[in-house]
C-alpha cells in the first residue's frame, strides 16, 4: 500500500509540474510586487456610476473625513504614491481613476470638466463614500476640485490644491506674454494635440502594444526611474480608452478659441460661487516653469500669472491661503511630498 501511495503522489506531481512552471513566474511577480503595483496596478474598488460605468478607487486607512485625491492631466493614482500612505495613517485616503484612466470604464461623452464633475458627484454620493470630504487636486485635478467645490459646497469639508490649474489661465498668460509669444504657445499646443491624435490611432489599432512602438513618445519614454511606475504607465498608455481620455482632456483644457478661452473655461463659469469659510490650502511650486516656445523672460511672466491665479483661488474662501513650496516643480507631491502631507494633516487637524 505504501508503494502504491508513493506512485500516486509521483503521478500527481508530474501532472501539476507543468502548471507550477507556468505559475512560478506569476507567483514570483506577486511576491515582488511593491506598493505601486499592489495598490495602483490592478482594480481595487469598482464603484458603479451613471451610464452603467464604473470608476476604480484605491483607498488606504480609515477615519473621517475621507480624503479624495484627483490627479492631473495624463497622470494616475500612482502620482499620489508618496502622499497617500501617510494620509492613510490618519484618515481614509482614496485616489480614483477618471473615465478612461487606469481601470475606470470610459463612455462616449467627452472627458471634459462638466462630465468629470458629474462623475465625481456620482462617486461621492455612492455607498462607498461618506460626505463631507476633503478634496486634494493636482494640476487639472485642481481645476476639477475647485469647480466641484463651487457647485457642491455642502459635499466638502475642506480642500488642498497642489499647483492647480485654474479657469482663464490660458487667457491670462496670453495677455501677459504678448500676442507673438501667445501664438507660439498655441502652436505648441496644436502640435501636442496632433501627437495625441496619433497616439489615439496607434492605440486603437493595437500598435502601441507591439515591439515596434516600444520607444514611442505615446508611452512612458524616457522611462520613469521607478520601475513599477514605468510598468504601470506603459500598461495604461497602451490602451485606447486612456489615449482617448487624455486627448479629450487636453482639448478641453488647453486648446483656445480666438479669445484665448477653452471649453473648460466656459463650463467652469456655470454655477460658480464663492466658498464661504471653506478651509482651503493652495500649494504653489517654487521652481520656475519652462513652457515650450517661450523665452526665459516670457516664462517668468507666465509664472507671475500662475502665482496671481493661485492667490485669486485662495481668495474664494475667507479661510484660504496660498503657500509657495521651495525646490519644487509642478509635481509638488513627488518633489516635496512632506509639504503636501503636512498641509493635508494640518487641514484635518483644523476640521477635528
Amino acid at each position: 500500500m505504501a508503494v502504491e501511495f508513493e506512485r500516486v503522489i509521483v503521478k500527481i506531481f508530474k501532472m501539476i509540474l507543468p502548471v507550477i512552471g507556468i505559475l512560478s513566474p506569476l507567483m514570483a511577480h506577486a511576491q515582488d510586487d511593491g506598493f505601486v503595483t499592489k495598490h495602483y496596478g490592478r482594480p481595487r474598488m469598482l464603484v458603479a456610476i451613471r451610464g452603467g460605468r464604473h470608476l476604480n478607487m484605491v483607498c488606504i486607512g480609515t477615519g473621517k473625513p475621507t480624503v479624495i485625491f484627483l490627479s492631473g492631466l495624463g497622470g494616475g493614482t500612482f502620482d499620489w504614491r508618496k502622499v497617500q500612505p501617510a494620509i492613510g495613517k490618519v484618515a481614509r485616503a482614496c485616489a480614483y481613476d477618471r473615465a478612461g484612466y487606469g481601470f475606470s470604464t470610459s463612455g462616449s461623452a467627452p472627458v471634459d470638466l462638466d462630465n468629470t464633475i458629474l462623475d465625481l458627484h456620482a462617486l461621492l454620493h455612492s455607498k462607498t463614500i461618506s460626505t463631507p470630504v476633503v478634496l486634494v487636486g493636482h494640476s487639472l485635478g485642481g481645476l476639477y476640485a475647485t469647480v466641484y467645490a463651487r457647485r457642491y459646497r455642502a459635499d466638502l469639508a475642506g480642500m488642498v490644491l497642489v499647483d492647480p490649474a485654474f479657469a482663464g489661465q490660458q487667457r491670462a498668460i496670453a495677455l501677459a506674454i504678448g500676442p507673438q509669444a501667445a501664438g507660439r504657445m498655441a502652436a505648441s499646443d496644436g502640435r501636442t494635440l496632433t501627437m495625441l491624435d496619433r497616439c489615439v490611432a496607434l492605440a486603437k489599432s493595437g500598435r502601441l502594444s507591439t515591439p515596434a512602438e516600444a520607444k514611442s513618445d505615446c508611452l512612458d519614454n524616457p522611462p520613469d526611474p521607478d520601475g513599477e511606475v514605468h510598468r504601470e504607465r506603459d500598461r495604461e498608455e497602451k490602451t485606447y480608452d486612456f489615449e482617448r481620455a487624455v486627448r479629450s482632456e487636453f482639448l478641453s483644457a488647453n486648446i483656445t478659441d480666438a479669445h484665448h478661452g477653452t471649453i473648460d473655461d466656459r463650463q467652469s463659469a456655470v454655477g460658480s460661487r464663492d466658498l464661504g469659510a471653506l478651509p482651503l490650502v493652495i500649494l504653489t511650486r517654487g521652481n520656475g516653469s519652462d513652457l515650450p516656445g517661450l523665452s526665459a523672460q516670457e516664462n517668468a511672466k507666465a509664472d507671475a500669472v500662475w502665482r496671481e491665479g493661485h492667490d485669486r483661488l485662495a481668495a474664494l474662501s475667507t479661510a484660504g491661503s496660498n503657500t509657495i513650496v521651495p525646490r519644487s516643480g509642478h509635481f509638488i507631491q513627488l518633489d516635496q511630498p512632506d509639504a503636501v502631507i503636512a498641509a493635508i494633516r494640518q487641514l484635518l487637524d483644523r476640521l477635528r
Side-chain angles (χ1 to χ4, degrees):
M1 288 290 293
V3 173
E4 186 63 24
F5 178 76
E6 184 178 349
R7 287 175 179 171
V8 171
I9 294 298
V10 171
K11 183 177 181 181
I12 292 173
F13 183 76
K14 287 182 177 180
M15 290 173 62
I16 67 173
L17 187 58
V19 178
I20 294 175
I22 293 171
L23 291 179
S24 58
L26 299 177
M27 294 168 66
H29 175 70
Q31 292 171 351
D32 292 341
D33 281 355
F35 182 86
V36 170
T37 301
K38 179 180 178 182
H39 288 84
Y40 308 124
R42 62 198 67 171
R44 301 297 296 181
M45 185 186 303
L46 298 178
V47 182
I49 60 166
R50 61 199 184 100
R53 296 178 296 113
H54 293 81
L55 294 180
N56 176 56
M57 186 165 63
V58 181
C59 294
I60 300 172
T62 60
K64 294 182 179 180
T66 297
V67 178
I68 304 291
F69 294 95
L70 290 78
S71 303
L73 171 63
T77 51
F78 43 74
D79 284 348
W80 301 104
R81 63 191 180 274
K82 294 184 178 182
V83 173
Q84 190 178 3
I87 301 305
K89 294 178 181 179
V90 296
R92 189 183 186 211
C94 301
Y96 80 100
D97 294 317
R98 290 193 290 277
Y101 279 64
F103 300 99
S104 293
T105 51
S106 63
S108 57
V111 188
D112 56 15
L113 186 145
D114 276 347
N115 283 306
T116 298
I117 295 301
L118 288 173
D119 281 358
L120 180 57
H121 188 260
L123 178 68
L124 297 188
H125 287 269
S126 67
K127 295 180 180 180
T128 60
I129 297 289
S130 176
T131 57
V133 302
V134 171
L135 291 184
V136 180
H138 169 243
S139 194
L140 183 58
L143 172 64
Y144 293 151
T146 302
V147 175
Y148 190 93
R150 301 184 79 176
R151 293 184 185 179
Y152 303 106
R153 169 66 181 81
D155 287 351
L156 268 63
M159 189 161 60
V160 176
L161 304 179
V162 182
D163 214 35
F166 52 91
Q169 69 180 45
Q170 300 289 79
R171 181 184 297 109
I173 291 174
L175 290 174
I177 62 179
Q180 290 186 342
R184 295 196 302 273
M185 189 170 67
S188 176
D189 286 339
R191 289 191 293 272
T192 298
L193 187 63
T194 299
M195 183 198 75
L196 293 174
D197 286 337
R198 178 170 55 83
C199 294
V200 170
L202 287 171
K204 187 175 184 179
S205 69
R207 286 179 57 192
L208 275 184
S209 298
T210 65
E213 295 293 338
K215 301 298 183 182
S216 172
D217 53 4
C218 298
L219 303 178
D220 185 38
N221 291 311
D224 193 285
D226 185 317
E228 284 191 284
V229 174
H230 171 62
R231 184 169 64 238
E232 296 312 319
R233 284 191 187 280
D234 257 8
R235 174 196 54 76
E236 182 177 51
E237 290 171 352
K238 290 174 182 176
T239 65
Y240 170 62
D241 283 350
F242 174 79
E243 295 295 349
R244 190 170 59 126
V246 171
R247 193 262 182 200
S248 183
E249 282 195 320
F250 184 85
L251 172 68
S252 299
N254 290 277
I255 302 302
T256 58
D257 57 23
H259 304 288
H260 302 292
T262 67
I263 293 172
D264 284 351
D265 288 342
R266 293 190 289 274
Q267 292 180 351
S268 67
V270 179
S272 292
R273 58 180 183 273
D274 291 344
L275 300 178
L278 178 75
L280 170 62
V281 177
I282 298 170
L283 302 177
T284 299
R285 64 176 181 259
N287 296 347
S289 60
D290 187 19
L291 297 175
L294 299 189
S295 67
Q297 185 178 17
E298 290 160 350
N299 268 295
K301 292 179 179 179
D303 285 337
V305 170
W306 191 249
R307 294 180 182 184
E308 290 166 3
H310 289 177
D311 287 340
R312 287 194 297 273
L313 283 179
L316 290 174
S317 169
T318 57
S321 66
N322 177 27
T323 301
I324 295 175
V325 181
R327 301 180 302 281
S328 64
H330 185 48
F331 284 81
I332 302 175
Q333 71 270 42
L334 298 178
D335 295 339
Q336 299 289 344
D338 288 347
V340 180
I341 293 168
I344 298 171
R345 283 185 166 178
Q346 289 168 11
L347 189 146
L348 290 173
D349 289 343
R350 288 166 58 188
L351 293 173
R352 291 167 179 167

